Amino acid sequence: MAASLGGLGLLQGRVRLAAAAAAASSLSRPGQRGLVRGGAACSPTGKGYSSEAKGEEELRVRYLDEENQGIVVLGLNRSRAKNALNKNLIKMMSKAVDALKSDKKVRTVIFRSEVPGIFCAGADLQERAKMHSSEVSSFVSKARATINEMGGTQRLPRMIGVSLAKELIFSARIVDGKEAKSIGLISHVVEQNESGDAAYRRALALAQEFLPQGPLAIRVAKLAINQGMEVDLVTGLAIEEACYAQTIPTKDRIEGLLAFKEKRPPRYKGE
């Protein structure tokens, strides 16, 4: 089992991304562990979807239902290429992400693998080798716009520190799940189950914890965290205050206060 240097991706707007750690994981055999980065499911196929998708689709989009309504699962399905990111897959991911951004009913998105034994092998180097140099830059920019946690030389040092980031990048060393968690690269390591989808199940459990929370509050909290990590503490606190101010005139804030007063679960509507 090996974890790469990918990280948690976050969609801008109303949607929280519960998964997207770029990892290369051997997760098909019982006894191995699944990787979960901030809810990131790096597991192979499993059950729990509301509908079936065609087997040849490189990206499967599934909207969950019943108690999981509001959760969308994006499944990588390039088995012959170990889910390597090519132009077509990036295009499909970009299109799916754009659609989810404008869907008010979507609360959480999970990225997972539909291919047993692998999450994502990284860039499709066979396709990359055929690209003109001018195409490469455009492709990388498009990929970074879609998976906005790409950029290992900048994001990795912010996650695990400069010295260790240099060590991993300079050596291109692959780390296992236990080490990845110990250095803060991933959030959870779970024992594999018989169906081979332990990490996905853990990500789904995290997504279920997110669902009852106020979507507007989560959106501004995400914004405050993301922007605050790039600035000093004083500026970060100012960003937090500005984000909180956006929730004051909302119906959700009043609903939260009423629910607390009446000792009942809040019924947020995202308004």
Side-chain angles (χ1 to χ4, degrees):
M1 176 180 62
S4 73
L5 304 184
L8 177 67
L10 294 172
L11 303 183
Q12 301 302 317
R14 299 180 177 86
V15 183
R16 187 186 315 99
L17 188 61
S25 313
S26 298
L27 302 175
S28 59
R29 297 183 295 275
Q32 293 179 311
R33 294 181 173 87
L35 308 181
V36 181
R37 166 71 168 92
C42 304
S43 63
T45 57
K47 301 177 181 179
Y49 294 126
S50 60
S51 61
E52 291 297 326
K54 295 180 181 179
E56 297 303 319
E57 293 175 338
E58 291 190 347
L59 182 70
R60 297 179 177 181
V61 181
R62 293 185 174 93
Y63 288 73
L64 305 193
D65 56 13
E66 299 177 352
E67 71 275 9
N68 294 322
Q69 188 171 0
I71 300 174
V72 177
V73 179
L74 302 182
L76 304 178
N77 188 43
R78 292 194 72 209
S79 58
R80 288 176 293 180
K82 297 183 178 180
N83 288 338
L85 302 175
N86 65 348
K87 290 190 289 187
N88 182 61
L89 185 53
I90 289 294
K91 180 180 179 180
M92 295 178 70
M93 292 170 63
S94 177
K95 183 177 180 180
V97 167
D98 287 342
L100 294 173
K101 286 179 181 178
S102 60
D103 191 337
K104 294 183 179 180
K105 296 181 180 180
V106 178
R107 298 288 303 281
T108 302
V109 178
I110 297 176
F111 268 88
R112 66 168 301 182
S113 173
E114 301 282 349
V115 181
I118 195 72
F119 179 68
C120 177
D124 189 330
L125 298 183
Q126 291 188 5
E127 181 185 71
R128 183 75 64 86
K130 300 175 182 178
M131 289 184 186
H132 188 273
S133 57
S134 61
E135 291 183 273
V136 175
S137 178
S138 175
F139 172 78
V140 172
S141 296
K142 183 67 174 179
R144 181 172 286 119
T146 303
I147 310 171
N148 58 9
E149 286 292 325
M150 293 180 65
T153 63
Q154 300 304 305
R155 298 189 182 278
L156 189 63
R158 288 170 166 81
M159 294 170 61
I160 65 175
V162 173
S163 296
L164 187 53
K166 286 181 178 180
E167 178 182 328
L168 295 183
I169 291 173
F170 295 171
S171 66
R173 189 173 78 242
I174 296 175
V175 299
D176 61 22
K178 184 177 181 181
E179 183 179 359
K181 186 176 188 302
S182 70
I183 63 178
L185 190 58
I186 58 176
S187 301
H188 302 275
V189 179
V190 296
E191 291 291 343
Q192 189 57 283
N193 56 25
E194 292 184 0
S195 58
D197 65 350
Y200 167 68
R201 293 294 173 183
R202 183 69 180 102
L204 184 59
L206 287 173
Q208 290 168 343
E209 291 184 49
F210 300 159
L211 286 179
Q213 313 309 321
L216 297 179
I218 288 178
R219 183 175 64 185
V220 296
K222 180 175 66 178
L223 182 64
I225 293 170
N226 289 350
Q227 294 190 356
M229 290 301 295
E230 306 299 326
V231 298
D232 60 84
L233 179 59
V234 173
T235 305
L237 291 172
I239 292 173
E240 179 185 73
E241 184 175 355
C243 287
Y244 174 69
Q246 296 180 42
T247 69
I248 293 177
T250 65
K251 295 179 180 179
D252 275 4
R253 188 182 76 90
I254 302 301
E255 167 60 17
L257 294 173
L258 286 175
F260 177 79
K261 180 180 179 180
E262 297 171 5
K263 298 182 180 180
R264 60 170 175 80
R267 296 182 289 270
Y268 297 116
K269 296 181 179 180
E271 300 176 353

